[in-house]
Amino acid sequence: MDVVLEVTDTFMFDYMYAWVLPATPAPYDFPDKVHANASTQAFSSWQYTPSTKLFSIEPSQAAYMSAWSRDNVYRQGLSLFLILWLFGLLVYYVFATLSYIFVFDKKTLTHPKFLKNQIYLEIKQANQALPVMALLTFPALLLEVRGYSKVYDLTADGPGLWYDYFQFPLFLVFTDLFIYLIHRGLHHPLVYKTLHKPHHRWIMPTPFASHAFHPLDGFAQSVPYHVFPFLFPVQKLALVGMFVFVNFWTIMIHDGEYVANNPIINGAACHSIHHFAFNYNYGQYTTLWDRLGGSYRRPEDDMFKKESKMSKKQWEKQSKIMEDTLKEVEGEDDREYGEETKKSQ
């Protein structure tokens, strides 16, 4: 994340910190490290070192004008919190909206298990969750930035060229396994209603449900991503790329577009079954751990045919499965459904 920190420092945070926490003037005899008229310039002993040897971004004068220089631990912590929160919101709004406009089938809005004001409620839940998740997550990223992880820069710094490729499947397998275990644990009766039920309010989710968690639920399921670089070497730009991919994937498995009719990939069809049948398909990327754990439920072929996927028969079948399972998992159903459900009752 030091690369992300350098980019955001250069274009945003340097100016913010220079304005909020300006540096003290330079001493009259300070060596010529700042400006010719150093006595009138803000003073910082910090010197720029690129976060990666692959590229560099020359900092502006604002980088030297704050009492909190770029290597200040408090500044780094606050910046990482803001990145996780505000840029997390930006990614959520932009890509969930694009998915909703161009991918999501609007006919789903008339599904008998679609909630009243559901999209508003999904967005509200996500807005409440993201700052808390950012607060819980930034310490791990701060430790990484401060050099306590196994993140490396160039191939020569890592295990070798072979590992530059191997790190991707290793990341997917590792995080898929532990998210499966954590996700399944969140369905335990002792914690389900408090932590995981907020995400299961959405029986027929939209892309805006992707980040609509209880904050402790969202954080718990993100832990494997942040533990990975402390256990395994990972190239720093690859880590950023995988972190972005994780957010895209989370939106994609909630978009209702059942494309991956594949026995290996745990796509939107598999995840939709998890939302209406509760106790199946806990995995994030693959069906491997669900198969080994006896919790895999294969999507029916009709789910991949648009005419049958959106048929009244299919919806009634899904509703019946949901209602039967919900009695076991939650007891009484306290959801408020939309007008379509009221008409059918």
Side-chain angles (χ1 to χ4, degrees):
M1 288 297 291
D2 56 348
V3 176
V4 176
L5 205 53
E6 179 178 340
V7 172
T8 52
D9 273 336
T10 302
F11 296 104
M12 184 171 68
F13 289 137
D14 284 341
Y15 301 96
M16 183 184 83
Y17 289 111
W19 178 64
V20 175
L21 291 166
T24 56
Y28 74 92
D29 58 349
F30 185 71
D32 295 330
K33 292 183 179 179
V34 283
H35 195 273
N37 58 338
S39 61
T40 63
Q41 297 298 313
F43 169 67
S44 173
S45 60
W46 170 79
Q47 295 296 305
Y48 171 65
T49 303
S51 58
T52 174
K53 295 177 184 175
L54 298 173
F55 66 86
S56 63
I57 308 174
E58 191 63 31
S60 68
Q61 188 176 353
Y64 303 92
M65 296 175 64
S66 173
W68 278 9
S69 60
R70 284 191 185 182
D71 58 358
N72 180 285
V73 66
Y74 300 109
R75 168 174 167 164
Q76 289 176 336
L78 178 57
S79 297
L80 289 168
F81 166 72
L82 293 174
I83 289 168
L84 286 166
W85 177 22
L86 300 180
F87 284 89
L89 274 177
L90 180 65
V91 168
Y92 169 71
Y93 275 111
V94 170
F95 292 99
T97 300
L98 290 173
S99 178
Y100 179 79
I101 294 171
F102 296 108
V103 179
F104 181 72
D105 193 327
K106 309 306 182 294
K107 191 175 179 182
T108 306
L109 302 178
T110 63
H111 192 286
K113 295 304 178 184
F114 197 84
L115 273 58
K116 181 180 179 181
N117 300 323
Q118 180 172 313
I119 294 175
Y120 165 77
L121 293 171
E122 289 172 338
I123 293 172
K124 180 181 178 182
Q125 181 73 50
N127 276 299
Q128 292 172 342
L130 282 169
V132 181
M133 290 166 61
L135 189 64
L136 294 170
T137 302
F138 88 84
L141 300 189
L142 181 60
L143 288 173
E144 178 203 318
V145 167
R146 303 294 291 186
Y148 293 99
S149 72
K150 296 187 177 183
V151 171
Y152 65 91
D153 188 17
L154 304 179
T155 300
D157 303 324
L161 181 61
W162 66 274
Y163 190 83
D164 287 349
Y165 297 95
F166 180 69
Q167 64 185 325
F168 296 104
L170 178 61
F171 176 84
L172 292 177
V173 171
F174 175 85
T175 56
D176 198 32
L177 167 60
F178 284 97
I179 290 173
Y180 170 81
L181 295 173
I182 292 167
H183 190 179
R184 189 160 186 172
L186 286 163
H187 277 257
H188 191 281
L190 290 177
V191 296
Y192 171 79
K193 288 186 179 181
T194 301
L195 297 183
H196 198 50
K197 183 181 175 180
H199 187 63
H200 269 277
R201 292 176 69 190
W202 335 115
I203 305 303
M204 299 304 298
T206 77
F208 294 105
S210 58
H211 293 67
F213 293 94
H214 185 291
L216 294 180
D217 178 4
F219 170 70
Q221 294 195 62
S222 74
V223 166
Y225 303 130
H226 306 300
V227 168
F228 183 84
F230 294 93
L231 299 179
F232 304 99
V234 58
Q235 201 278 331
K236 58 177 60 179
L237 294 181
L239 182 61
V240 173
M242 289 187 285
F243 191 71
V244 172
F245 166 76
V246 164
N247 283 275
F248 286 169
W249 182 262
T250 303
I251 293 171
M252 289 167 61
I253 61 175
H254 291 90
D255 65 14
E257 187 64 18
Y258 307 154
V259 176
N261 188 5
N262 184 292
I264 298 173
I265 299 174
N266 185 42
C270 283
H271 196 68
S272 70
I273 291 173
H274 178 73
H275 272 267
F276 71 74
F278 295 90
N279 296 326
Y280 302 93
N281 302 345
Y282 299 103
Q284 182 76 349
Y285 308 113
T286 74
T287 64
L288 173 62
W289 309 113
D290 280 298
R291 290 176 183 275
L292 293 175
S295 54
Y296 175 62
R297 184 164 183 165
R298 189 182 76 84
E300 298 175 354
D301 292 338
D302 284 350
M303 294 181 70
F304 298 95
K305 301 172 185 176
K306 189 164 186 176
E307 60 278 7
S308 56
K309 165 189 169 185
M310 292 294 178
S311 68
K312 184 177 180 181
K313 180 181 177 181
Q314 181 72 6
W315 285 1
E316 288 176 347
K317 187 175 182 179
Q318 292 171 350
S319 298
K320 180 67 166 58
I321 293 170
M322 174 263 177
E323 289 165 2
D324 290 344
T325 312
L326 183 136
K327 292 175 185 177
E328 174 190 341
V329 175
E330 297 182 6
E332 291 296 320
D333 188 3
D334 57 1
R335 295 166 180 81
E336 184 178 359
Y337 298 101
E339 292 301 319
E340 196 66 24
T341 301
K342 293 177 182 178
K343 292 175 185 177
S344 66
Q345 288 178 340

